[in-house]
Amino acid sequence: MYTDICKLFHIQYPIFQGAMAWISDSSLVSAVSEAGGLGVLATGHLDGEQCRAEIRRIRENTDKPFAVNIMLLSPKTEELVQVVCEEHVPVVTTGAGNPGRFMPAFREAGVKVVPVIPSVALAKRMEKEGADAVIAEGCESGGHVGKTTTMALVPQVVDAVNIPVLAAGGIADGRGMAAARMLGASGVQIGTRFLVSRECTVHQNYKDRILKARDIDTVTTGQSTGHPVRVLKNALTREYERLEREGASAEQIEELGRGRLRMAVVDGNTDQGSVMSGQIAGMVTKEQTAGEIIEEIMKEYTELMSAPCV
Amino acid sequence: MVFEKIQEIIAEQLGRDVSEIQMDTNVEKDLEADSLDLFQIISDIEDEFEVSIEDTDGIQTVGDVVKLVEDAKK
């Protein structure tokens, strides 16, 4: 039930805001949490003390629960884990790896752990290691993606584990949320739609690219490196395609990506920067406050779920 | 035998011939397994041997996997 997630995380609505590196900062996180969802702070670009400062800003803005996302491949993982535990952050979501070795520290600090997982085997492993819930993220999502779609992944993960499963990837309105519910999910995580919220501090050029995007405008780059990333097509993705066609090494391809997300998010260079976006961007067409977004999604969802079957 | 069974499990998951899978075979580089393949293989091995493999971070070769299973069975 969607209400299980609300009880578990002490939130009003079963909606997590997806962590987006450089993008989901204290401004967006506090707005989403204040509106009754769970804001998730991205830390991919932060060190421990910057993360602590952001956590404190969130607490100045809201007394509602929030989460911090830790990318486990980050060289700063250990200091971020330490800060999250010291600050007794209510929830941690993890990506890009196995949080197993940090579980005892999280437990001791009373931090709930919700790994983002792209496969059934990883979901089962996370459950065994004591995760409180998992986020099954399909490859419709923006940024780093797995291989399986939300539609196929979510019910398989739901069948495999006994902890709550949130669905992510391709969800941006009440219809997506109702569909996720039908697949057995206990909640949803939404990224791209919150990216265009008024409280999101991403460069306006980035928001404009999302708002104008069509259904066919995302591609995944870096397939050959084993770390595919979903982004909107631009001059940078054409360069990726050229390198991959020419059989460039994984190192050359990774090198091309260096600093590109910051270029798009902070500098607003959406031609040469990496404009990460989910496939649902084509449906995201207006800027609203985080509160309006959540309210609209819940209204659509509630209407759908109470509609008589025909 | 632990090795032979692990050979079979890896061969099945990656669509390889068992002869391609030796103790010194690098799972990622030689067999082109990605992290999702690796976790699927670990999950299948845990089920097969009824063991729990905790630390997967250091796995490089098939031999590393065999050693983890043998240690877990002790």
Side-chain angles (χ1 to χ4, degrees):
Chain A
M1 287 291 289
Y2 272 177
T3 49
D4 293 348
I5 281 286
C6 296
K7 277 187 200 148
L8 184 59
F9 298 109
H10 306 288
I11 50 181
Q12 195 177 352
Y13 305 115
I15 299 174
F16 284 25
Q17 157 255 310
M20 301 170 274
W22 286 99
I23 297 173
S24 29
D25 61 5
S26 52
S27 170
L28 178 59
V29 172
S30 359
V32 171
S33 284
E34 189 59 24
L38 190 77
V40 184
L41 180 72
T43 60
H45 57 300
L46 304 178
D47 64 25
E49 288 316 306
Q50 290 167 324
C51 176
R52 195 190 306 277
E54 281 286 84
I55 290 169
R56 294 193 173 163
R57 274 192 282 274
I58 295 167
R59 287 195 158 129
E60 282 166 20
N61 295 337
T62 182
D63 55 5
K64 306 260 177 73
F66 62 95
V68 171
N69 175 262
I70 299 179
M71 291 285 286
L72 297 161
L73 285 177
S74 157
K76 302 200 173 78
T77 298
E78 309 231 338
E79 57 180 286
L80 290 168
V81 168
Q82 194 184 338
V83 166
V84 160
C85 291
E86 284 167 4
E87 294 291 323
H88 300 284
V89 169
V91 185
V92 150
T93 66
T94 62
N98 183 352
R101 65 195 163 110
F102 301 115
M103 283 296 196
F106 287 137
R107 282 274 154 270
E108 195 172 320
V111 179
K112 291 197 171 75
V113 183
V114 188
V116 177
I117 51 91
S119 76
V120 167
L122 262 168
K124 285 163 73 175
R125 188 162 189 91
M126 295 303 112
E127 178 181 37
K128 201 171 70 182
E129 287 178 358
D132 295 276
V134 288
I135 300 167
E137 186 179 79
C139 57
E140 296 93 321
S141 309
H144 289 90
V145 290
K147 298 174 189 166
T148 311
T149 59
T150 305
M151 179 74 112
L153 179 65
V154 171
Q156 295 187 70
V157 171
V158 167
D159 286 347
V161 297
N162 293 309
I163 50 177
V165 177
L166 289 99
I171 302 168
D173 68 3
R175 293 172 298 179
M177 189 169 169
R181 179 80 195 90
M182 292 299 113
L183 297 174
S186 303
V188 293
Q189 176 166 282
I190 293 174
T192 306
R193 186 154 178 201
F194 283 121
L195 192 152
V196 303
S197 69
R198 295 202 188 281
E199 297 91 342
C200 181
T201 57
V202 71
H203 198 286
Q204 189 62 38
N205 292 353
Y206 198 128
K207 281 188 190 176
D208 289 343
R209 278 299 317 268
I210 301 275
L211 293 167
K212 285 182 196 148
R214 311 289 179 89
D215 55 340
I216 56 169
D217 288 350
T218 71
V219 289
T220 50
T221 60
Q223 290 282 5
S224 63
T225 66
H227 302 289
V229 177
R230 184 174 299 287
V231 290
L232 288 176
K233 278 187 266 192
N234 62 6
L236 175 66
T237 64
R238 286 193 293 278
E239 182 62 14
Y240 268 112
E241 280 160 15
R242 189 184 65 78
L243 277 183
E244 298 209 36
R245 231 181 5 252
E246 291 171 0
S249 68
E251 288 75 24
Q252 280 175 297
I253 293 170
E254 301 272 354
E255 182 57 34
L256 177 63
R258 206 172 299 283
R260 297 291 182 154
L261 182 59
R262 184 186 187 284
M263 197 186 280
V265 173
V266 181
D267 306 337
N269 184 342
T270 53
D271 289 323
Q272 299 293 331
S274 178
V275 188
M276 297 186 183
S277 166
Q279 286 184 319
I280 204 72
M283 211 173 72
V284 175
T285 54
K286 61 180 177 208
E287 270 192 84
Q288 293 167 294
T289 65
E292 286 164 355
I293 292 171
I294 290 178
E295 199 178 312
E296 196 173 291
I297 291 172
M298 287 311 299
K299 184 168 176 286
E300 288 165 353
Y301 168 75
T302 311
E303 280 171 11
L304 283 167
M305 297 303 280
S306 59
C309 293
V310 283
Chain B
M1 285 293 290
V2 173
F3 172 61
E4 282 78 10
K5 197 68 214 172
I6 287 175
Q7 254 186 327
E8 266 177 48
I9 289 171
I10 295 177
E12 165 126 14
Q13 175 61 27
L14 300 178
R16 297 272 182 175
D17 193 273
V18 284
S19 65
E20 293 177 80
I21 296 151
Q22 300 302 326
M23 286 293 272
D24 60 354
T25 307
N26 187 300
V27 182
E28 208 178 307
K29 291 189 183 128
D30 299 329
L31 300 175
E32 296 174 349
D34 61 23
S35 64
L36 299 188
D37 291 322
L38 184 60
F39 279 113
Q40 186 60 56
I41 289 164
I42 298 294
S43 174
D44 292 344
I45 287 171
E46 287 182 325
D47 292 346
E48 174 68 31
F49 293 100
E50 295 178 348
V51 293
S52 181
I53 297 172
E54 301 302 332
D55 187 14
T56 59
D57 288 351
I59 295 176
Q60 295 206 355
T61 64
V62 174
D64 294 336
V65 181
V66 172
K67 183 166 186 315
L68 281 170
V69 172
E70 282 172 347
D71 289 350
K73 280 167 67 107
K74 278 175 194 165

